[in-house]
Amino acid sequence: MKRSEINAALKRMEAFMKELKVSLPPFCSFTPEEWKSKGHEYDEIRDNMLGWDITDYGLGDFKRVGFSLITLRNGNQKMPEKYKKPYAEKLLFIEEGQYSPNHFHWYKMEDIINRGGGNLLIRVYNSLPDESIDKESDVTVHSDGRTYTVPAGTQVRLTPGESIAIQQGLYHDFEVEKGTGPILIGEVSQCNDDNTDNRFNPPVGRFPAIEEDEPPYRLLCNEYPKAT
């Protein structure tokens, strides 16, 4: 992705959150220059990859495949003694026409919540013991205190305020229902590790290669300078 494309996407996410009156913690507004002066008091942000993020899944077509996000809080599976939080929270911004590919998590269980905007469509499949997609068995859905079953491959519609619980091994993809507009998605989960806990089917990447055609507006969560 070009840095200019990343900058524009993050600014659109910021503007949409302001429209919904969603406030962010102070570190989300640090400039790249300010990050140079931040010491070890901010190691939790660096170590746990808090802050701004973006993905095109390595496919180079962000307008069709990908979204912008912020990790607000997270523990650390690799350093549980130092960072004891067993939970994580994210905000995701997905625009009409974008798509998040089919995947499951080995470790993380999560709730995906429509925090405002359009309608979110989440397609669900069970997985088989060999981690392939089970295209036959019904899927048990847990949504806002209601439990029900749907056929494999059903797209569950989440209107603003609605949520779905995604258990380990449950394949899911998501997109915006056409004509309903962009969505701010909330994610509340167990500790998140995007480097090791995503099983995509078919396989895709996670973090984009960046072409530096202009200075960064915000540093992404994998770009922070080391503390001095």
Side-chain angles (χ1 to χ4, degrees), residues 50-63:
L50 308 187
W52 295 94
D53 194 359
I54 201 160
T55 185
D56 66 353
Y57 294 98
L59 300 177
D61 192 3
F62 181 71
K63 290 183 179 180

Side-chain angles (χ1 to χ4, degrees), residues 53-202:
D53 194 359
I54 201 160
T55 185
D56 66 353
Y57 294 98
L59 300 177
D61 192 3
F62 181 71
K63 290 183 179 180
R64 292 184 60 250
V65 186
F67 55 86
S68 311
L69 63 150
I70 303 170
T71 300
L72 297 173
R73 63 202 85 247
N74 196 12
N76 194 307
Q77 298 174 35
K78 296 176 182 176
M79 293 184 280
E81 295 304 315
K82 184 175 182 180
Y83 300 111
K84 298 182 182 297
K85 291 177 183 177
Y87 54 85
E89 180 187 8
K90 293 182 181 181
L91 292 173
L92 292 68
F93 177 60
I94 185 167
E95 300 180 79
E96 197 163 325
Q98 289 184 312
Y99 170 73
S100 176
N102 194 35
H103 65 287
F104 74 62
H105 308 290
W106 291 280
Y107 173 83
K108 180 176 74 171
M109 183 176 176
E110 61 188 345
D111 278 10
I112 295 176
I113 309 133
N114 185 335
R115 291 296 189 192
N119 296 333
L120 184 64
L121 300 176
I122 299 185
R123 182 181 287 105
V124 290
Y125 293 97
N126 295 316
S127 58
L128 295 169
D130 65 357
E131 299 186 353
S132 61
I133 301 169
D134 182 350
K135 296 184 178 180
E136 300 296 331
S137 68
D138 289 348
V139 178
T140 300
V141 174
H142 302 277
S143 177
D144 300 312
R146 178 190 175 202
T147 301
Y148 60 100
T149 59
V150 297
T154 294
Q155 282 189 308
V156 178
R157 177 186 288 105
L158 300 182
T159 61
E162 292 185 314
S163 70
I164 184 173
I166 303 294
Q167 300 186 41
Q168 296 92 340
L170 182 66
Y171 275 110
H172 56 290
D173 64 15
F174 52 87
E175 61 187 329
V176 178
E177 184 175 11
K178 188 175 180 179
T180 66
I183 305 170
L184 186 67
I185 302 169
E187 180 187 305
V188 177
S189 73
Q190 293 168 282
C191 290
N192 179 81
D193 187 341
D194 282 328
N195 292 306
T196 63
D197 196 31
N198 293 314
R199 173 39 162 115
F200 290 101
N201 193 331

